[in-house]
Amino acid sequence: MTQNEKTIPVIIVGGGQAGLSMSWYLCREKVEHIVFEAKTACHSWDDERWDNFCLVTPNWQCALPGHPYKGRDPHGFMVKQEIIDYVKGFVASFNPPLREHTAVTSITRHEGGGYRVGAGGETWHAKHVVIASGAYQDAVIPGYASAIDPAIHQVHSQDYRNAAQLPDGAVLVVGSGQSGAQIVEDLFLEKRKVHLCVGSAPRVSRFYRGRDVVDWLADMHFYDLTVDNHPLRDGARDKTNHYVTGRNGGHDLDLRKFAQEGVGLHGTLETIRDEVAHFAPDLKENLDDADKTNADIKKSIDAWIAREGITAPTEAPYVPVWEPDGSNTPLDLKAAGITSILWCIGFRPNYRWIDVPVFNGANKPVWHRGVTDAPGFYFLGLPWLHTWGSGRFSGVSRDAAWLASQITGKDVPVA
């Protein structure tokens, strides 16, 4: 034991909705613990989202423990300030032992069992450690970005707030996942000329046959499907989320319609060299694959409606409103008037501060339902930790209750 080492049964790393959900259950079970947060509780909703950000899942899916959505629009989509108010209301609903502005800098195995945790200049000894810091620590920006003319403004999606922060001129958005597709719409509505590098992200319709697609999928028990029973098994964790939006009541994001209205669509960005962007010849394939995913989801809903004998309005099959011409011409950024590049290509987790044998050869944590092979060491809040909702407001409570049961050795019911 090191000098001045403090002892506590449980340490939670991360004060977002996952870590605080874990704290809620431990508080209810009267388990002494502490939550370390490098910044402030749930800061990412306030600090890392654009001004017009809103949920893409309906409000009724907001189900943090003891704090379900109680607003007047369960089938609507909370905008940024409403989300912030919701999570702050959750924090205020109980008294978590939270230490903000206290970064955890190291975790190692303790010679007395359990783990030694360095946080805020102090050393702690805990029998149990829950890593709830998320999977989005390091913003991904390609190495060649540093060679791009500094006159072209570059920003990652986590730092984008609104069109006004960008210099006048056209914008190149790289990545068509949830953030990229929604930011394209945000810029387009502000009358900015936009070029989008379309990747392999799938899409989904907002509404189908009279209801939100999420409502249909909930009835079909999709959100109860565990990763163990998913056709892709662990591969589900590597799949990009479907793009759709809840903005202005929710609607589809059809990239073909964007193109029809003036957005420049290109294939996957391969590189930018001498201010010329080069693309993979996969634009048509990516658009077709996204549409196929959407069509397959609709077919599964059709089959459910038929099997259950549900009366629902019919809907004509989707017909593409635009097709690429097959060209794959490089884009001269300056000739196209592009003054900004928005990188929407995701994040990488950062676990370099953890020296515990819980990672595979690709340096990814290995767990089953959040429980690792290292006794008393857990992960929480990651995509498909157990179900689709594990990294979201809808499913993190169930996962936190399960881990609380592992820590206490008794059944902990889901709130």
Side-chain angles (χ1 to χ4, degrees):
M1 180 177 293
T2 62
Q3 189 175 11
N4 299 322
E5 185 175 271
K6 300 179 180 181
T7 300
I8 195 166
V10 184
I11 286 175
I12 300 169
V13 183
Q17 65 257 21
L20 290 171
S21 293
M22 188 76 237
S23 179
W24 189 92
Y25 281 102
L26 294 182
C27 285
R28 191 181 70 174
E29 298 300 316
K30 295 181 171 50
V31 176
E32 186 184 7
H33 65 284
I34 193 167
V35 182
F36 290 122
E37 167 53 50
K39 295 181 180 179
T40 58
C42 300
H43 71 92
S44 62
W45 294 106
D46 200 0
D47 301 338
E48 298 176 3
R49 302 293 192 278
W50 57 95
D51 294 347
N52 289 316
F53 180 89
C54 64
L55 293 180
V56 300
T57 51
N59 296 332
W60 65 261
Q61 280 204 333
C62 296
L64 295 177
H67 193 67
Y69 174 79
K70 295 180 179 178
R72 295 176 294 179
D73 192 12
H75 292 280
F77 307 90
M78 284 192 279
V79 298
K80 181 176 178 179
Q81 189 56 54
E82 291 173 326
I83 302 167
I84 293 169
D85 292 343
Y86 173 71
V87 295
K88 286 185 176 180
F90 173 56
V91 177
S93 71
F94 70 116
N95 187 29
L98 173 66
R99 288 203 179 186
E100 298 180 313
H101 304 292
T102 306
V104 171
T105 55
S106 65
I107 302 178
T108 59
R109 287 178 290 185
H110 196 284
E111 60 274 11
Y115 302 93
R116 177 174 285 115
V117 178
E122 297 179 322
T123 303
W124 294 77
H125 177 202
K127 182 179 180 181
H128 302 275
V129 172
V130 181
I131 305 299
S133 55
Y136 307 114
Q137 288 85 23
D138 294 344
V140 175
I141 297 178
Y144 58 77
S146 61
I148 296 172
D149 186 342
I152 298 177
H153 182 69
Q154 299 185 55
V155 62
H156 192 273
S157 59
Q158 70 174 355
D159 298 314
Y160 172 74
R161 295 296 173 267
N162 53 61
Q165 83 181 94
L166 306 179
D168 291 340
V171 183
L172 177 66
V173 177
V174 183
S176 58
Q178 282 188 357
S179 294
Q182 291 176 76
I183 288 173
V184 165
E185 181 180 52
D186 195 59
L187 293 167
F188 179 76
L189 292 174
E190 293 297 324
K191 311 301 183 185
R192 299 298 289 266
K193 174 61 181 178
V194 185
H195 292 264
L196 173 64
C197 302
V198 179
S200 60
R203 79 180 186 97
V204 64
S205 291
R206 176 78 277 163
F207 302 103
Y208 182 59
R209 299 192 66 175
R211 301 177 73 199
D212 192 309
V213 167
V214 170
D215 292 333
W216 285 122
L217 294 177
D219 287 351
M220 294 161 61
H221 306 291
F222 172 80
Y223 301 117
D224 297 320
L225 177 68
T226 68
V227 69
D228 294 335
N229 294 319
H230 193 284
L232 297 175
R233 303 280 293 187
D234 290 352
R237 296 172 179 140
D238 299 323
K239 298 293 288 184
T240 304
N241 289 322
H242 303 67
Y243 56 84
V244 68
T245 185
R247 187 166 179 164
N248 298 327
H251 53 268
D252 296 3
L253 289 177
D254 186 348
L255 302 188
R256 297 180 193 268
K257 189 172 186 296
F258 282 147
Q260 190 181 48
E261 296 176 350
V263 172
L265 297 189
H266 311 272
T268 304
L269 180 63
E270 291 186 328
T271 189
I272 297 176
R273 187 170 55 251
D274 297 326
E275 283 62 69
V276 176
H278 300 267
F279 311 102
D282 59 1
L283 176 58
K284 177 175 173 52
E285 177 186 355
N286 290 341
L287 292 173
D288 289 348
D289 285 349
D291 287 343
K292 182 180 183 303
T293 297
N294 188 33
D296 288 345
I297 292 171
K298 290 180 176 180
K299 289 176 183 176
S300 69
I301 293 171
D302 289 338
W304 169 263
I305 289 172
R307 186 165 57 250
E308 297 297 313
I310 298 169
T311 301
T314 58
E315 186 172 313
Y318 170 78
V319 177
V321 297
W322 179 88
E323 289 286 355
D325 60 14
S327 64
N328 189 37
T329 307
L331 180 67
D332 186 310
L333 303 187
K334 293 186 177 180
I338 290 172
T339 58
S340 303
I341 299 174
L342 254 166
W343 300 105
C344 303
I345 51 179
F347 299 81
R348 295 188 185 95
N350 178 352
Y351 297 123
R352 292 185 290 272
W353 42 279
I354 300 176
D355 185 14
V356 179
V358 293
F359 302 96
N360 61 19
N363 206 32
K364 293 182 179 181
V366 178
W367 69 81
H368 183 264
R369 206 169 177 179
V371 180
T372 74
D373 286 340
F377 203 89
Y378 315 95
F379 285 86
L380 179 65
L382 297 179
W384 281 100
L385 185 99
H386 182 53
T387 65
W388 174 89
S390 289
R392 306 166 188 265
F393 289 148
S394 62
V396 69
S397 177
R398 175 166 49 185
D399 291 348
W402 169 258
L403 292 187
S405 72
Q406 305 305 297
I407 290 171
T408 61
K410 64 180 184 179
D411 181 57
V412 175
V414 179

